[in-house]
């Protein structure tokens, strides 16, 4: 009998799938994990399907070594969607499928939910006496007898002796005790009452609930503090009542604990989270809970959209504008766009929630692809904060803060308010500069300055992570006259501690929250009001509710006005509005003060005076004239190598390949060095592809990918394709 043939997707940078002989007895099912030889290694691949013939010579055909699963870990509908994503993002299928699995499943671990062991004393009319020397066995028997018929967890029996299990075995062998393994699920019981909905909230809830059995995309555009989360909760409750699962995606891990707590207070059932802050074992168990249909609500970051969800009935993408929803390495997918496609395939609604919609989503509303649900009022008695520009030209600054700003902080603190000082730069200062020769302390592996971290007396590169001790003299001229130029969260927090010695200050950034549990502890201090002054980066800008916060101070808004990326202005407007939205969310009114050296900038004036929508409309008109996304479609071909000439030469080969196979109107710009050419010791170059038609861009990329591995320069550098890039860095 001839062996059957099967195609397997292997996690490798090579496009296509690989043929193997199937010598196993079980059925060939797409989505099964298998161990296969690949080069000199044995790797975990995913079965794509059975084939009738192969071009591989019989003497070179290898066999599948092992099948890990009885049932597919990736169900058929998800396999189809991931295959579409592989084609759309032009990324190797094996890596796409591998990205959908938790780390432990990629390593071949069993796809089994953990069980808890229980023991139960069986009823009996009479039992012989236990041996006199079996004291531990007698104690275990007595303990189980007190609870006769009830299951007792193994953890309750460990206290009797370290050898309790061998003693218990005697009772099991006598037929007195029954053992059983039970899957225990994280079942939650709600304990909080739902508030009364505002009219706009009720309309949004009704519209979404009506679509629970059909595909429809919604843009829930609500001003900060308008109660978007309450709309999510009501729709999740309706979905659960119909036996459906709900997926809630957030852009950052920092939002997950707070959102999880809110959901646990309001929702009954099985709630799990999926994010990189979990251990590998926790992540696997939560993933299996979702994949087996046990979890009613799944809250996670971008990768959660790749999880199997057999009862999926609602998808919510919170803060849909956020760049963190785009994977920036490996399989470069956008979780928001993937969520929309997944909802379309499943036939369920998808809700994109934000106060500052991405230009792509605003354009989709105009084109009729999304229905806009506006929330224009803040919940309760809260009113929108008042924004004002503070001209700091020719004013003396105290560590980057004007005297007027500090006076405003004193006023709000005296009035029992809370203050947030926002600067989107961590560390003490971004540059260490020699006052004699002008040399800066640069990273030896990147085209970037090292950031001063004063607490540890270290210089750190925020791009590649390299560190070195803070120097005592200039490396160029040996001068000891070194200046720390610019400001970061560490410096601002230290300056505020001098200005307000009796006020509790908390700093929240990536450095101060590295240890497990530190972020939750810091946020708890901020929410309770124990910390009166909050200093932080954009980690504080997204979705957090600080009831006592009345003043927001934005120190570096000007940076976004002159960025090299065409999206810089959009991101600046979103960040300012999101940070401003933390103020005045309860009864006390909020104030937002924006320090600037460009108070007459028309875009900044439009944002402050007329709001985000007017600002976005002007910026989108500029994009339309310039034929930039969302009014055109882009892809970046990136290359990096130890020698800049190799990266550039490879991209020239890509240009020639595109010219040879080009179809339709496609603009090819470059190759050029990346904005930061050297990163991590390697030189980077990029090629920008742009078209006014999505099909034209995709067709050209498909032709390119068919032969890109065979280009002479492909083996001399690392390369990648980024479809719909969110930055050109």
């Amino acid at each position: 009998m001839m062996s059957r043939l099967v195609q397997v997707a292997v996690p490798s940078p090579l496009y296509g799938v690989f043929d193997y002989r199937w010598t196993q007895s079980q059925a060939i099912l797409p989505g099964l994990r298998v161990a296969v030889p690949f080069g000199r290694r044995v790797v975990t691949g995913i079965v794509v399907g059975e084939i009738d013939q192969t071009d591989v010579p019989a003497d070179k055909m290898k066999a599948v070594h092992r099948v890990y699963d009885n049932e597919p870990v990736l169900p058929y509908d998800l396999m189809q969607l991931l295959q579409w994503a592989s084609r759309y993002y032009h990324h190797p299928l094996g890596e796409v499928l591998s990205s959908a699995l938790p780390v432990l499943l990629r390593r071949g671990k069993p796809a089994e939910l953990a069980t808890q062991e229980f023991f139960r004393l069986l009823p009996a009319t009479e039992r012989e006496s236990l041996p006199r020397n079996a004291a531990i066995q007698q104690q275990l028997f007595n303990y189980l007898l007190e609870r006769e018929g009830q299951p007792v967890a193994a953890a309750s029996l460990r206290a009797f002796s370290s050898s309790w299990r061998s003693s218990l075995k005697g009772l099991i062998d006598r037929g007195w005790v029954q053992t059983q393994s039970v899957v225990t699920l994280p079942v939650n019981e709600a304990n909080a009452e739902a508030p009364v909905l505002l009219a706009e909230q009720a309309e949004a809830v009704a519209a979404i609930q009506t679509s629970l059995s059909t595909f429809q995309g919604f843009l829930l555009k609500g001003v900060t503090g308008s109660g978007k989360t309450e709309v999510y909760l009501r729709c999740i409750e309706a979905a659960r009542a119909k036996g459906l699962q709900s997926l809630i995606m957030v852009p950052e891990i920092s939002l997950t604990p707070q959102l999880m707590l809110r959901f646990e207070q309001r929702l009954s059932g099985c709630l799990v989270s999926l994010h990189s802050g979990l251990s590998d074992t926790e992540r696997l168990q939560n993933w299996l809970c979702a994949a087996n249909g046990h979890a009613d609500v799944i809250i996670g970051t971008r990768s959660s959209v790749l999880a199997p969800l057999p009862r999926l009935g609602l998808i919510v993408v919170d803060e849909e504008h956020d760049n963190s929803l785009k994977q920036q390495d490996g399989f470069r997918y956008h979780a928001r766009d993937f969520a929309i496609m997944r909802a379309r395939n499943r036939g369920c609604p998808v809700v994109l929630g934000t106060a500052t919609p991405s230009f792509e989503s605003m354009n989709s509303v105009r084109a009729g692809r999304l229905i806009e649900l506006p929330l224009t009022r803040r919940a309760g008695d809260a009113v929108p904060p008042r924004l004002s520009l503070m001209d700091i030209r020719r004013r003396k600054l105290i560590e980057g803060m004007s005297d007027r700003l500090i006076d405003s902080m004193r006023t709000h603190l005296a009035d029992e308010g809370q203050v947030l000082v926002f600067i989107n730069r961590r560390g003490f200062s971004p540059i260490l500069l020699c006052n004699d020769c002008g040399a800066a302390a640069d990273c030896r592996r990147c085209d970037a300055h090292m950031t001063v971290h004063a607490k540890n007396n270290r210089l750190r590169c925020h791009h590649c992570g390299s560190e070195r001790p803070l120097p005592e003299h200039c490396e160029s001229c040996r001068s000891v006259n070194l200046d720390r130029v610019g400001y970061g969260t560490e410096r601002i927090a230290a300056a505020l501690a001098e200005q307000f010695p009796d006020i509790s200050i908390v700093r929240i950034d990536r450095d101060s929250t590295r240890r497990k549990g530190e972020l939750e502890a810091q946020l708890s201090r901020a929410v309770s009001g124990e910390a009166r002054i909050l200093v932080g980066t954009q980690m504080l800008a997204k979705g957090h509710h600080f009831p006592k916060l009345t003043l927001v101070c934005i120190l570096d808004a000007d940076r976004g006005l002159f960025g090299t990326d065409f999206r810089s202005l959009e991101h600046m407007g979103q960040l300012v509005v999101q940070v401003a939205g933390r103020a005045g969310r309860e009864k006390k009114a909020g104030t937002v003060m924006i320090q600037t050296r460009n108070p007459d900038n028309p875009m900044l004036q439009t944002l402050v005076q007329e709001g985000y929508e007017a600002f976005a409309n002007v910026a989108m008109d500029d994009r339309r004239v310039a034929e930039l996304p969302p009014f055109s479609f882009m892809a970046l071909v990136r290359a990096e190598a130890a020698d800049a000439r190799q990266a550039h030469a490879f991209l020239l080969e890509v240009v020639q390949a595109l010219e040879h196979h080009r179809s339709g109107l496609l603009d090819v710009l470059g190759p050029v060095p990346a904005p930061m050419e050297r990163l991590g010791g390697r030189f980077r170059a990029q090629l920008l592809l742009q078209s006014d038609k999505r099909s034209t861009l995709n067709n050209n990329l498909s032709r390119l990918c068919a032969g890109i591995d065979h280009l002479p320069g492909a083996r001399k550098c690392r390369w990648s394709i980024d479809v719909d890039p969110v930055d050109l860095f």
Side-chain angles (χ1 to χ4, degrees):
M1 178 179 177
M2 293 184 61
S3 298
R4 299 160 72 186
L5 301 176
V6 66
Q7 287 189 323
V8 177
V10 173
S12 83
L14 300 176
Y15 286 89
V17 293
F18 301 89
D19 300 346
Y20 289 90
R21 284 189 291 110
W22 185 269
T23 57
Q24 311 297 317
S25 59
Q26 67 188 88
I28 297 175
L29 299 174
L32 290 173
R33 291 178 302 147
V34 291
V36 294
F38 191 74
R40 297 181 180 179
R41 301 175 297 140
V42 175
V43 300
T44 301
I46 301 291
V47 173
V48 175
E50 187 174 6
I51 55 175
D52 297 325
Q53 57 186 11
T54 178
D55 295 330
V56 181
D59 59 334
K60 293 186 178 180
M61 177 68 71
K62 298 178 181 179
V64 171
H65 283 187
R66 178 183 175 187
V67 182
Y68 288 110
D69 312 300
N70 294 321
E71 297 293 333
V73 291
L74 296 176
Y76 180 77
D77 62 334
L78 185 55
M79 282 286 291
Q80 295 292 105
L81 189 59
L82 291 168
Q83 287 173 305
W84 164 84
S86 173
R87 296 189 299 271
Y88 179 86
Y89 290 104
H90 302 278
H91 196 77
L93 179 60
E95 292 192 349
V96 172
L97 298 180
S98 181
S99 299
L101 298 176
V103 171
L104 294 181
L105 291 189
R106 297 177 209 168
R107 296 175 184 167
K109 298 295 182 181
E112 298 174 354
L113 279 167
T115 58
Q116 190 171 355
E117 198 171 16
F118 288 88
F119 301 95
R120 184 167 62 92
L121 189 67
L122 297 173
T125 54
E126 58 181 63
R127 299 185 180 97
E128 68 270 22
S129 299
L130 293 170
R132 293 183 178 180
N133 60 352
I136 301 300
Q137 199 173 75
Q138 185 67 57
Q139 292 175 25
L140 291 170
F141 174 78
N142 293 339
Y143 186 80
L144 292 170
L145 184 61
E146 292 174 6
R147 297 157 181 80
E148 187 170 4
Q150 300 176 16
V152 176
S156 303
L157 304 179
R158 293 193 184 104
F160 288 95
S161 170
S162 58
S163 59
W164 67 273
R165 191 174 288 277
S166 60
S167 299
L168 187 67
K169 186 176 183 300
L171 300 178
I172 296 172
D173 291 343
R174 290 171 182 266
W176 295 2
V177 173
Q178 181 187 58
T179 179
Q180 61 182 135
S181 296
V182 178
V183 173
T184 55
L185 302 174
V187 179
N188 183 67
E189 293 294 334
N191 57 18
E193 293 185 4
V196 177
L197 294 177
L198 298 175
E200 289 179 329
Q201 286 177 307
E203 290 174 7
V205 169
I208 298 167
Q209 289 183 357
T210 302
S211 301
L212 276 179
S213 300
T214 58
F215 167 71
Q216 179 59 61
F218 296 97
L219 176 64
L220 185 64
K221 188 173 74 172
V223 298
T224 52
S226 59
K228 292 186 289 294
T229 304
E230 185 58 37
V231 173
Y232 303 157
L233 287 166
R234 297 298 179 96
C235 295
I236 292 167
E237 288 172 341
R240 183 170 179 269
K242 291 188 173 186
L244 301 173
Q245 290 176 302
S246 297
L247 170 64
I248 318 300
M249 281 198 298
V250 294
E252 295 277 6
I253 297 175
S254 61
L255 294 179
T256 313
Q258 192 174 5
L259 196 63
M260 197 72 180
L261 178 62
R262 176 95 179 266
F263 279 30
E264 286 172 350
Q265 292 171 343
R266 286 286 307 280
L267 299 172
S268 296
C270 182
L271 283 66
V272 299
S273 60
L274 289 173
H275 54 79
S276 59
L278 301 172
S279 69
D280 288 344
T281 300
E282 289 172 329
R283 191 177 177 88
L284 174 60
Q285 291 303 306
N286 287 359
W287 189 91
L288 290 171
C289 249
N292 292 344
H294 299 309
D296 300 303
V297 181
I298 301 91
I299 303 174
T301 47
R302 60 175 175 259
S303 61
S304 61
V305 77
L306 307 178
L309 302 168
R311 298 188 289 118
L312 181 61
L314 173 67
I315 303 178
V316 173
V317 184
D318 195 29
E319 308 295 354
E320 65 84 21
H321 66 277
D322 199 284
N323 277 358
S324 299
L325 291 168
K326 177 69 187 282
Q327 176 72 25
Q328 298 284 23
D329 53 30
F331 172 33
R332 292 170 169 82
Y333 66 97
H334 200 302
R336 177 196 62 216
D337 300 339
F338 194 97
I340 293 172
M341 183 58 69
R342 185 161 192 185
R344 182 190 300 277
N345 286 6
R346 176 52 65 97
C348 71
V350 57
V351 181
L352 312 181
T354 180
T356 53
S358 64
F359 289 5
E360 283 76 13
S361 293
M362 292 182 70
N363 191 53
S364 291
V365 169
R366 294 177 182 180
R369 293 188 293 270
L370 294 176
I371 295 176
E372 183 176 305
L373 303 174
L375 301 179
T376 59
R377 289 181 53 198
R378 283 193 157 189
D381 299 324
V383 295
R386 181 174 58 86
L387 277 67
S388 63
L389 297 176
M390 183 176 291
D391 188 355
I392 58 174
R393 294 173 297 182
R394 296 179 295 276
R395 295 192 72 91
K396 182 180 179 180
L397 300 182
I398 304 169
E399 295 287 42
M401 296 173 286
S402 72
D403 52 353
R404 287 174 54 202
L405 192 72
I406 291 176
D407 288 343
S408 293
M409 294 173 65
R410 293 190 194 280
T411 300
H412 280 261
L413 291 169
D415 194 31
E416 299 301 318
Q418 193 179 40
V419 175
L420 187 156
V421 181
F422 174 81
I423 179 167
N424 205 21
R425 188 189 290 123
R426 56 194 173 96
F428 188 85
S429 64
I431 304 175
L432 183 67
L433 197 66
C434 175
N435 268 332
D436 289 345
C437 72
D442 290 334
C443 178
R444 294 162 184 162
R445 305 175 69 234
C446 305
D447 292 333
H449 301 309
M450 299 285 275
T451 298
V452 177
H453 286 257
K455 181 179 179 181
N456 302 320
N457 287 318
R458 306 283 290 177
L459 289 174
R460 184 179 300 155
C461 177
H462 287 177
H463 300 280
C464 72
S466 62
E467 294 187 28
R468 61 179 187 261
L470 201 62
E472 297 179 356
H473 52 74
C474 174
E475 295 180 355
S476 298
C477 71
R478 312 294 291 180
S479 169
V480 296
N481 192 13
L482 303 178
D483 236 355
R484 302 175 183 188
V485 179
Y487 308 95
T489 50
E490 187 182 356
R491 186 170 191 171
I492 295 299
L496 290 171
E498 290 184 7
Q499 293 290 325
F500 304 97
D502 300 325
I503 299 294
S504 176
I505 299 174
V506 66
R507 175 167 65 93
I508 299 180
D509 57 29
R510 198 180 304 170
D511 298 320
S512 65
T513 57
R514 286 188 175 183
R515 287 184 295 182
K516 190 175 180 67
E518 192 64 29
L519 175 61
E520 291 83 351
Q522 300 282 47
L523 287 174
S524 177
R525 292 183 62 204
V527 172
S528 67
E530 175 193 343
R532 302 287 307 286
I533 298 178
L534 319 179
V535 180
T537 60
Q538 61 181 350
M539 288 178 70
L540 285 175
K542 305 169 184 177
H544 298 297
H545 180 72
F546 304 122
K548 300 182 180 181
L549 186 65
T550 57
L551 175 65
V552 167
C553 309
I554 300 176
L555 303 187
D556 60 348
D558 287 351
R559 292 179 65 195
L561 295 174
F562 309 106
T564 56
D565 194 302
F566 71 89
R567 285 193 170 92
S568 295
L569 196 62
E570 176 186 1
H571 296 160
M572 183 276 294
Q574 291 166 343
L575 196 54
V576 166
V577 173
Q578 290 288 338
V579 177
R582 301 313 107 203
R585 296 169 71 98
E586 294 287 342
K587 294 182 179 180
K588 287 188 176 182
T591 301
V592 181
M593 305 183 76
I594 306 170
Q595 288 192 164
T596 179
R597 290 184 173 86
N598 300 275
D600 300 322
N601 182 281
M603 293 304 296
L604 201 53
Q605 284 285 346
T606 301
L607 181 65
V608 171
Q609 300 296 331
E610 302 179 49
Y612 178 78
E613 186 162 2
F615 164 88
N617 287 335
V618 174
M620 286 180 70
D621 287 341
D622 291 342
R623 293 261 194 101
R624 183 184 291 104
V625 171
E627 297 182 344
L628 291 170
F631 306 104
S632 67
F633 307 96
M634 280 185 175
L636 269 180
V637 184
R638 293 185 171 99
E640 61 175 64
D643 187 327
R645 291 170 295 184
Q646 291 178 335
H648 193 83
F650 168 70
L651 291 181
L652 284 175
E653 294 172 3
V654 171
V655 172
Q656 292 172 359
L658 285 167
E659 290 293 338
H660 184 67
H661 297 290
R662 184 184 301 194
S663 67
L665 185 59
L666 179 74
D667 293 327
V668 180
L669 308 176
V672 296
M676 181 180 291
E677 184 177 17
R678 190 166 58 105
L679 178 66
R682 297 178 67 85
F683 292 88
R684 308 185 303 156
Q686 58 192 39
L687 189 68
L688 182 64
L689 311 181
Q690 186 174 0
S691 178
D692 60 352
K693 291 184 179 179
R694 170 74 68 190
S695 58
T696 298
L697 180 65
N698 279 342
N699 289 340
N700 280 280
L701 285 172
S702 295
R703 292 187 177 92
L704 173 65
C705 290
I708 194 169
D709 289 329
H710 304 297
L711 295 177
R715 295 189 178 186
K716 298 177 182 178
C717 62
R718 298 176 192 158
W719 58 269
S720 64
I721 295 174
D722 188 358
V723 177
D724 303 331
V726 296
D727 69 61
L728 306 182
F729 180 75

